[in-house]
Amino acid sequence: MTVHAIIGGTGLTELNGLSLRDAFFQETPYGPPSANILRGEYAGHEVLFLARHGHPHRIPPHQVNYRANLWALKQAGAQAVLAVNAVGGIHAAMGAGHFCVPHQLIDYTYGREHTFFAGDLEHVTHIDFSYPYDEALRKYLIAALAAEGYDFSGHGVYGCTQGPRLETAAEVVRLERDGCDIVGMTGMPEAALARELELPYACLALVVNPAAGKATGVITMAEIEAALAEGIGKARKVLARVLAGSA
């Protein structure tokens, strides 16, 4: 039976319903991961959980130690990764509360430690990253969202920006012109590092606000927090379905 790791983003620093077996700190050659790894049972299946931004939420997107996080989960026994990400909506269909299971991404980040293949190498390695998300995991997420009756899109392009600031309206115009449907700050290098470790990886993205320029007025944290409060509970139900194989 596959051991799934869940990486929780903003709003998901703990996994309610997890029957905790142990919590442990996993050493890595790349420094400390964001938080202790929680191991236990969720929906009757073994699962690992890691809070991407720490617990409490304290690590900004550009300072997350993505290499340590993925390495730690792999060493702890993870065989597949389900990532939960809070994002902004660019496409008209991506309103607050909408879920997206992206099939593609564009990386706009810079200065992040983005690969394990660096330093004193015996040979150069190039991974195939044509299709960054595992299709089987995507289908499980899509089936779970459909079974729950939630508003979702089964395809989408995730544009990953540097953060921690939100984007300008002009930047969102550029992202839309590039083909992005949603925008977030944590999708990369996480997805690429999972591929380097041969970990199947998929993203459950929750839209928590319209992207800059897509709504009147400024984007407020109150609006984002309200969307998170409602959406994260739904995300937990989706994850439970996927893990239980009942989607």
Side-chain angles (χ1 to χ4, degrees):
M1 187 177 295
T2 302
V3 177
H4 288 85
I6 297 171
I7 300 179
T10 300
L12 188 61
T13 57
E14 55 188 347
L15 193 61
N16 293 349
L18 177 67
S19 179
L20 187 64
R21 189 184 313 157
D22 62 344
F24 58 93
F25 179 80
Q26 179 71 52
E27 298 281 354
T28 86
Y30 306 100
S34 295
N36 286 346
I37 294 174
L38 308 183
R39 176 164 45 204
E41 284 192 1
Y42 190 71
H45 292 266
E46 183 175 358
V47 66
L48 302 169
F49 178 80
L50 178 64
R52 183 186 291 116
H53 297 281
H55 185 45
H57 185 287
R58 59 183 176 81
I59 306 172
H62 66 296
Q63 291 185 329
V64 171
N65 192 338
Y66 296 95
R67 292 196 300 179
N69 286 353
L70 271 298
W71 185 273
L73 289 171
K74 176 81 170 184
Q75 293 304 303
Q79 297 170 304
V81 176
L82 296 167
V84 180
N85 302 74
V87 299
I90 298 175
H91 190 281
M94 306 292 175
H98 190 85
F99 285 98
C100 180
V101 183
H103 71 292
Q104 275 294 341
L105 62 80
I106 302 176
D107 187 10
Y108 300 92
T109 65
Y110 51 88
R112 301 184 182 191
E113 296 289 353
H114 65 280
T115 180
F116 294 111
F117 300 121
D120 187 16
L121 302 176
E122 293 183 3
H123 58 85
V124 177
T125 300
H126 302 283
I127 60 165
D128 175 32
F129 204 51
S130 303
Y131 304 98
Y133 301 108
D134 182 78
E135 191 59 24
L137 281 180
R138 279 192 1 93
K139 287 179 178 177
Y140 279 126
L141 287 168
I142 290 167
L145 286 161
E148 290 292 338
Y150 297 149
D151 186 25
F152 77 96
S153 298
H155 287 80
V157 178
Y158 182 130
C160 189
T161 57
Q162 180 70 357
R165 67 168 176 84
L166 297 176
E167 299 72 35
T168 69
E171 287 170 333
V172 169
V173 169
R174 175 199 176 193
L175 290 167
E176 187 170 28
R177 187 171 61 242
D178 287 350
C180 298
D181 300 297
I182 54 177
V183 57
M185 302 174 189
T186 55
M188 283 291 285
E190 195 172 270
L193 292 168
R195 180 63 56 85
E196 288 186 354
L197 292 176
E198 299 182 342
L199 284 170
Y201 177 97
C203 166
L204 176 62
L206 169 64
V207 180
V208 295
N209 62 274
K214 291 298 179 180
T216 58
V218 298
I219 299 170
T220 68
M221 287 307 300
E223 291 172 331
I224 292 174
E225 288 167 1
L228 279 169
E230 180 178 354
I232 288 300
K234 293 179 178 179
R236 291 190 180 103
K237 291 183 179 180
V238 171
L239 294 173
R241 276 192 179 271
V242 172
L243 294 172
S246 60

